[in-house]
Amino acid sequence: MPASVPAPPPAAPGPQSVDRALDLLDAVAEAPGPVTAKALARRLGCGLSTVYALLGSLTARGHLTRSAAGYTLGYRLPALHRAFQRQMRIDDGLHEVLLRVRRVAGADAYFSAYRDGEIAVLDGTTAIHDTEAVFSVGQETTAHATAHGKVLLSALPRAARHQYLAARGMRRMTPRTITSPDRFDLELRRVRRDGFAVEIEEAQAGMACVAVPVRATAGPAGGARSRPVTAISAALPLAEFTRHRRSLTEAIRRAAVEAEGLTVHDV
């Protein structure tokens, strides 16, 4: 039996306490397995008593779970993820569309969106244990180096697109990453012309990705809308992409058509 731990003192109120609690949650999420309070205190650079207090609060609310080996994410988080999908208006059928792409094309598929000035991957077929996947669900910070980012940015007015890129930068991920705004504008012109985007070793060496816009069939008030605000993409190793590029692109096109009407996304 693990040694009992004294009841933690209440966490100090205020923004700093909130920041530290969220830092703890992030640290536990990034760990490969259960992590101890002492390890978390070292990582955050704060006192053990403070860490125990915050861990107590997070555990009591279900965001973390404690075992003899340490702390892991709690059972509350799946409910938060479902609420996230509901608020993002992700239909259950959308995940089935992505799974069909995975079965037919043998490539991990993703659904991404632009909303309120941010780009994020909202759903995908990457296995939970796959730590080497090119993309994962969450906020996108390197949209300029991804096929889905190109599709979504190509839908923005030029001024809004430049504002987005200026705020986040165009970090060089590989030697093939486009880091020039002018060259990127030319790339997006090609995306609008062709109706899809391709990224070859721009985000990660040895990997390639193709993305197609999903066109919303109706706006919040029921009006027709044709501008792409979401995208479906697929990523796979470059050698396989080279062999199956045409069939993969067609599979993504079909998936995008299937996804029309499954989600209405406000921009």
Side-chain angles (χ1 to χ4, degrees), residues 216-247:
T217 56
R225 192 165 61 174
S226 61
R227 189 179 71 174
V229 294
T230 59
I232 288 182
S233 59
L236 71 173
L238 180 57
E240 295 180 36
F241 178 81
T242 302
R243 289 196 299 270
H244 306 295
R245 176 170 176 167
R246 180 172 295 181
S247 60

Side-chain angles (χ1 to χ4, degrees), residues 180-195:
S180 163
D182 290 339
R183 185 181 165 201
F184 195 64
D185 277 345
L186 291 175
E187 176 73 4
L188 297 192
R189 189 180 304 169
R190 186 159 43 246
V191 171
R192 288 189 291 270
R193 181 197 67 201
D194 296 342

Side-chain angles (χ1 to χ4, degrees), residues 152-214:
L152 298 172
L153 289 172
S154 72
L156 299 181
R158 191 171 188 269
R161 181 169 66 251
H162 282 199
Q163 183 179 8
Y164 177 94
L165 294 171
R168 291 155 188 80
M170 301 180 71
R171 180 162 58 99
R172 185 175 297 279
M173 308 294 294
T174 74
R176 300 192 66 165
T177 306
I178 299 175
T179 58
S180 163
D182 290 339
R183 185 181 165 201
F184 195 64
D185 277 345
L186 291 175
E187 176 73 4
L188 297 192
R189 189 180 304 169
R190 186 159 43 246
V191 171
R192 288 189 291 270
R193 181 197 67 201
D194 296 342
F196 66 95
V198 173
E199 169 266 302
I200 298 177
E201 294 190 300
E202 294 176 45
Q204 181 176 313
M207 297 295 295
C209 185
V210 60
V212 172
V214 177

Side-chain angles (χ1 to χ4, degrees), residues 4 18 28 51 75 82 101 138 149 168 186 230 253 260:
S4 61
V18 174
V28 173
V51 168
Y75 302 111
R82 287 192 294 272
V101 172
R168 291 155 188 80
L186 291 175
T230 59
R253 285 187 188 278
E260 290 179 7

Side-chain angles (χ1 to χ4, degrees), residues 18 68 70 76 87 97 123 126-127 132 152 162 193 199 250 267:
V18 174
R76 171 68 178 150
Q87 292 176 5
V97 171
D123 199 5
T126 304
E132 298 182 358
L152 298 172
H162 282 199
R193 181 197 67 201
E199 169 266 302
E250 288 306 310
V267 178

Side-chain angles (χ1 to χ4, degrees), residues 15-36:
Q16 185 179 25
S17 179
V18 174
D19 285 341
R20 283 182 171 172
L22 294 176
D23 287 342
L24 272 176
L25 196 59
D26 286 341
V28 173
E30 293 167 3
V35 57
T36 65

Side-chain angles (χ1 to χ4, degrees), residues 1 32 64 73 97 119 130 137 144 164 166 184 189 220 250:
M1 293 288 292
L64 294 179
L73 294 179
V97 171
I119 288 175
D130 187 354
V137 173
H144 66 289
Y164 177 94
F184 195 64
R189 189 180 304 169
E250 288 306 310

